[in-house]
Amino acid sequence: MAYFDLSNSNFQKNKSRRAKIWGISLISVCALVLIFALTNIVPIVKNFLLGVFGLSIYPLSIIALIVGIALVNNKKYVMPFKYVLYLATVSLVVLMLVNIIVLGNPNNSFADYLIMTYNYKFTGGGLFAGVLLAPFLKTIGLAGTII
């Protein structure tokens, strides 16, 4: 005869196991990303990572590595959603400001600006920040974008 286990212990074990699997996966992916981004083992992967994410690939992968370690150790970081949203917004604005400082205000088309952000590897946010930044540069100019 079938019955329901209302003790919730089975659910907690599965949840803990799932978190450990996610943590181990996150640690392995972030370790590979850091190895590829720091070394020149596979230059194509390094160029891709620096082109798409710029120099922000290093702190992003280190933060994700720390989150993976916390998941494996069953640790929780409880933060209000407003705080996480504020940190993400400030980080994105700083990445875009670094892109402006490094690349300046080129008088190129949208596609040429994106190609330039991808090819110049040492921008703050790479192509990711360039896609968000280019419309502001084209519509309100350099001074308006900085403000």
Side-chain angles (χ1 to χ4, degrees):
M1 177 170 202
Y3 67 97
F4 291 104
D5 184 17
L6 299 177
S7 66
N8 206 11
S9 65
N10 222 5
F11 178 73
Q12 292 298 333
K13 289 179 187 175
N14 286 339
K15 189 175 178 183
S16 173
R17 187 177 304 138
R18 194 173 307 132
K20 285 187 180 192
I21 291 171
W22 275 106
I24 291 170
S25 302
L26 195 59
I27 289 170
S28 59
V29 167
C30 290
L32 282 174
V33 165
L34 275 174
I35 289 170
F36 286 140
L38 288 172
T39 64
N40 220 3
I41 295 173
V42 184
I44 295 171
V45 176
K46 180 178 182 174
N47 289 336
F48 173 76
L49 289 172
L50 287 177
V52 173
F53 296 105
L55 293 177
S56 67
I57 191 67
Y58 301 116
L60 287 176
S61 58
I62 289 172
I63 290 170
L65 190 71
I66 292 170
V67 168
I69 292 170
L71 284 173
V72 168
N73 293 328
N74 289 329
K75 301 290 182 190
K76 281 187 179 180
Y77 297 116
V78 180
M79 281 191 263
F81 181 72
K82 286 192 312 187
Y83 185 68
V84 172
L85 189 65
Y86 173 74
L87 283 177
T89 304
V90 168
S91 300
L92 189 62
V93 167
V94 168
L95 291 177
M96 286 198 253
L97 283 174
V98 171
N99 262 16
I100 290 173
I101 291 168
V102 170
L103 295 175
N105 187 17
N107 294 324
N108 298 339
S109 67
F110 181 74
D112 290 338
Y113 182 75
L114 294 181
I115 291 170
M116 186 174 63
T117 59
Y118 182 80
N119 288 334
Y120 193 74
K121 307 292 185 230
F122 300 107
T123 60
L127 187 64
F128 178 70
V131 166
L132 299 173
L133 187 62
F136 292 114
L137 282 172
K138 296 302 174 196
T139 55
I140 57 178
L142 181 65
T145 304
I146 291 174
I147 293 173

